Amino acid sequence: MNLRTRFRALHPAGMLMLCLGIILTSFTSLYAQDVNITGKITGTGGTPLPGVSIQVAGTSKGASTGADGQFKLSAPTGSTLKISFIGYLTKEIKVTNANPLSITLEEDVQKLNDVVVVGYGTQKKATLTGAITTVSMAQQEGRPLTNASNALQGVPGVFTNLGSSQPGVDRSTIRIRGVGTLSNNDPLVLVDGIEYSMDELNPNDIESITVLKDAAAAIYGSRAASGVILVTTKKGKGASKINYSYYRGMQKATYLPDIIDDPIAYMKLKNQANRNEGTTKVDYSDAQIAEYEKGMLTDPITYPSNNWYKIALKNGTIQKHDLSVAGSTDKYQYRLSLGYLDREGILFGPGNHEKKYSVGLNASMQVTQKLKAGMTLDGYYRNYTQPFYASTWEYLARALPILTDTLADGRYGNSWMRTSGRNNWENPRMLAYNGLKTKVVQRFLATVFAEYKLPFDINYNIKFGVDKYDGLLTQFTPRMQTFDPKTNAPINWNNPNTAPRSYKTDYNDMNIHFYNTLDWKKTFAAKHNLSVMLGASYDNFDKDFFEASMYGYLDGTLDALNAGVYWNATSGTPTRDVLESYFGRANYDYDGKYLFEAAFRYDGSSRFAPGKRWGFYPSASAGWRIDKESFFESSLIDVLKLRASAGQLGTQAVALYSYTPSVSMGEDYSFGGTSPALGSGAAITAAVDPDIKWEVTTTYNAGVDMNLFKSRLAVTVDVYKKITDGILRQVAIPSQVGNLAGPKRNIGRVDNTGIELVLQYKNNIGNFDYNVYGNASYNKNEVVDLRGERIISGNTITQAGHPIDAYYVLLSDGIFQSDEEVSKSAYQSGKTKAGYIKYKDINGDGIINGDDRVILDASSSVPKWTFGFGFNLGYKGITLNAAFQGIAGVKAYPQGNLALPFVNGANATKEWLTDAWTPTNTNARLPIVTTGTAGVDNFRGSDYWLRNNSYVRMRNLQLGYSLPDRWLSKVKISKVNVFLNGENLLTFSRYKDFDPEAVLDQSNLYRYPMLKTFNGGLNVTF
C-alpha cells in the first residue's frame, strides 16, 4: 500500500483524533529569569476593573484581577503581557523589573463605530434607527451549511423553515415578521446590492447577512413588504493570505415513521380494520396468514418480513473543500475563491446525489485619487439527481412488509397476495434504481462597479450586474416490471406504450441590473452631521424555457430525444419583467445624540397596466441616544438608545400579464351530432381586472437598545405593527359569467403585530471567555378584511378575524364508549359505533356535518413564537459553541400514508397495535382501528388529529481547537483550527411521528426526512 492509499484509507475521524493527539501531547516552551509582577488595572475614570485577563504572550501563564483590580503573576523579563477585558481595548506591555504596575484600560467604542450594511450603503451602529439584524458568517465557520439560507435559523424576527433535506433542493423558506399577503411572502434578497439568490452563493464566500425588518427596507419600495435580506460577500483584507478549509461528515434521518414490519401483525390488524368498518370481507384469509407464518421460516423471498425504511435508507455522506487567496493594500484589494461540495443522500439508488463547484472573485483598484473601480463574480456549476417519479417517497411510505424486495436472480419482486388499494404494487428499489432526473445548473452573477469623487465632496457610485442562469433537466424512465415471487409471472408497472420515455427541459434566464447613486456627507460646526443619497435603478428579467418529450425507445441505452420514435409533447414560454426605480435617503444627527432619517422610493413595474404602474414609498425614522445627554449619569447603563420608524412598502405579488386578458389554446369546440366533430380552438378562460395595483404595507416600529454592566450585557427590544392593504388575490365570480376563473383584485387587509427581545451577555474569568445569548419573537397574524369572503382549503380557512390559513375543523368530544351513547348523540353516519370519535354538535341541529366546524386560533403555516439561544465558550484556544432554535404556537395536521392507518392500501404505524380502542381497552389514546380510506367517520377533519408542532432543536454543537501562535509561527502558518460538529443532534417536541420541522405546513409524511449531520474538519490560513 503506497502512502497515498494509506492516507485515503485513514478515516476522517481518525485523522482528527490524530491531529488532536499531536496538539495535546505537545508542551509549552519554558522561559528563564522569571520576575514577580504585581499591579492594578483601572478604567479611564480610575475605577478598579475586576476579572481582567492578563496573559503572558506565547505561554499558558496568566492571571486575572480581583475585586480591587489587583493582580500578581510571574513572567520572564522581556516577555509581553496581553491584557484584555470585555468592553475595553486590548493592551500589551513589556515585562521589566519595574514594580508595581499601574495600568489604565480605555473603553472600546469601536463596536459603536462598527458599520452595518443598509440599502445602498452603510451606517454606524451608533446612529442606526431601524430594526436591523446582522449575522456574521464567521460565527458559522465549520457548520455543514449547504445553502446560505439555513444560516438564518434562530435570527430574531425571522422564521426559517427547512422542509426537506434532499440534496440539491434543501433550501429554507424564510418569513420575516409574519405573513402579510395571500401570495408570495418571500423576502427580497440582494447580493452586494444586486438581486440574486443567496442559495446560489458558496456560504464560505459570504461575509455577513443583514435582515431589514422595518421601514429601513422601504428604500427597496415595491418588493420590500416581506422584508429585505442584504448579503455581503468577502473582500480581501490586509496582507496576502491563503486559506483552506475542509470538512467531511455523515448524515442520517432525524425521524422516521415507526411502521409495522411484522407481516402477521400487519395482516391481522388490517383484517380487524375491515371488520370494524362493518364488512365481512377481509384482505387476508386465515389460511393465507397460516401459510405465510410457516413460509417465513424457510423462504424469506416469497414470505418476506420487510421494513422498507431500513431497506431503502442508508447513511449519507457530505464533504466540502474551500480555497481562497485574498489581500489588500492602499491601492487594491482582491479575493479569489474556489469551492467544492459533494453529497450522497440517504436514499438507495442514484437519485439523491449532488455536486457543486463554485467560484468567487471580488477585486477593486484605486485607479486614481478620485476613481476606484472593481468587479465581482459569483458563480456555481451544480448538478443533482432525483428519482424519475417524484412520488418515490410516497411509494416508500406505501410499501408493505409482505412486498418482496428482489427474487433470487435479482429481478424486482412483487407480492403473491392481493391487497385492497394496491392494484399496482410499487417496488421502491425498482423505482429508485430505474429512471432518473438529472438537473444541471450553471448560474453566474457578474458585476462591474466604480466610485468617483466629484467636486463638493459628492461621491458617484455606479454598478452594473448580469445574472445568467442556465438549467437543463433531463428525465428518463425505462420500462419497468416486477415479478410474482411464487409464479415468476411478470407484471408491468408502467405502461409499455409510454415507456421508455424521455423528457428534456431547458431553462434560460438573463437578468440585467443597473443602479447608480450620488452620496454627500458633511459635518457642520463639529456636531451637525448630514448625509444625503439619491439614486436610480433599472432591473430587467428575461426568462425562457423549452421542453419536449418522446416515447418509443428500444431500451435505456440512449435517452436523447432523437433516439425516440413517437413525439409526445413540446412547449415553451418566454417572459419579460421590467422595474424602473428612483430613490433617496437623508440622514441627520446632532453630535450622535439626536438621530433622524427619511427615505423614499418611486417604482414603476411592467406587471401592471399603464396608468397603474407607479408607486411611491416613503419612510422616516428617529433615534435618541439618551446616554449622551449631560443629565444622564449611570454606573449601570453604558448605552441607551430609543428608536422609532414608520414607512410604506409594496408588493407586486401578481403573475405577469394579469391585467390583460390572455387566450388559452386547446379549447376544442363541438359541432354537435351523435359523434360530434371537435374543432381545435382558443378562448379566454379567466376574467381580469385592468385596475389592479400595488399591495401597500404600512409598518411601524419602536425599539430600545441598551448596553449594561460595562457593555457586558446587551439588550434590544422592538415592537411593531405591519398593515398590508389592497391584497392582490383571486376572487370568485358566478359561473354564469362565461364560466370564467375569477380575476385578481386588490381586496383584503392583513395585520401583523409583534414584539422581539434580544439578549446577549459576554464576560471572562481569567482565560475563560463566555458568551450567552438568546432571542424570542412573538407575532400575531390577523386577517382584518376580505369583504365578507371566506377562503376554505381542506382543513384550513382564511377569514376576517383569524390568522391566514387557520384550522377549520370539527371539535372532538372523546370516544364513544357504547352503542347506547351513539344513539343518544348527534347523528354522524350509519357506521358510527362504540370506539369511534365523538364530535360536538355546535349548531345543535342533531347532525354532525360541515356546519359544525369551528375556526381555531392556530395557523398551519406560521408560528406565533420563534426563538433562538446558545452559548460560546473559550479557554486557551479550545472553543465549545452551541446554537438552539425553536418555534411555538403552530399546529400540524398530518394526513395520508402512515399519518392515517391503511390509507389507499398503505401500512400503519405500530401505535395502532397497542393504543387503539377495543372493548377491553376503553381508555385508549386512539379510536377503534379502521382504514383511513373507508373509515371516514374517524378521520373527518377535527381537532382530534391536530398535533402541537412546537419544537426546540439543537441546530449545532461544535468543539474546536486553535493551535497556539507560537507553534504556527515556526512553520509560517497564521492559523490552524480543527473542529468537530453535530447538526440537528437533539429535538424536543411532543410530535413524534415525523420531524416537526419537515411537516410544518405539509399534510403528509412521505417526504425526504430532515438529517442529522456529524462532521469534522480543519481551517488553515497561510
Side-chain angles (χ1 to χ4, degrees), residues 524-540:
F524 303 93
K527 293 187 176 182
H528 299 271
N529 303 300
L530 178 65
S531 64
V532 179
M533 182 272 293
L534 292 173
S537 66
Y538 174 85
D539 301 276
N540 185 96

Side-chain angles (χ1 to χ4, degrees), residues 633-679:
E633 293 184 7
S634 174
S635 60
L636 175 67
I637 301 176
D638 308 302
V639 175
L640 177 59
K641 179 170 66 174
L642 301 182
R643 299 177 281 104
S645 68
Q648 288 191 323
L649 311 98
T651 303
Q652 51 171 349
V654 62
L656 293 174
Y657 320 121
S658 294
Y659 65 87
T660 186
S662 59
V663 177
S664 299
M665 303 300 293
E667 300 297 323
D668 296 341
Y669 185 82
S670 171
F671 287 96
T674 55
S675 299
L678 295 178

Side-chain angles (χ1 to χ4, degrees), residues 208-247:
S208 65
I209 302 175
T210 301
V211 183
L212 310 184
K213 297 180 287 189
D214 68 341
I219 195 71
Y220 292 104
S222 64
R223 296 175 294 169
S226 296
V228 176
I229 296 175
L230 306 178
V231 180
T232 303
T233 58
K234 292 179 179 178
K235 300 176 177 63
K237 296 178 182 178
S240 296
K241 294 180 180 179
I242 299 174
N243 179 266
Y244 170 73
S245 61
Y246 165 78
Y247 67 74

Side-chain angles (χ1 to χ4, degrees), residues 389-409:
Y389 290 96
S391 310
T392 293
W393 284 98
E394 177 183 355
Y395 298 150
L396 180 59
R398 280 167 53 83
L400 300 177
I402 59 174
L403 172 66
T404 296
D405 184 0
T406 58
L407 305 186
D409 59 5

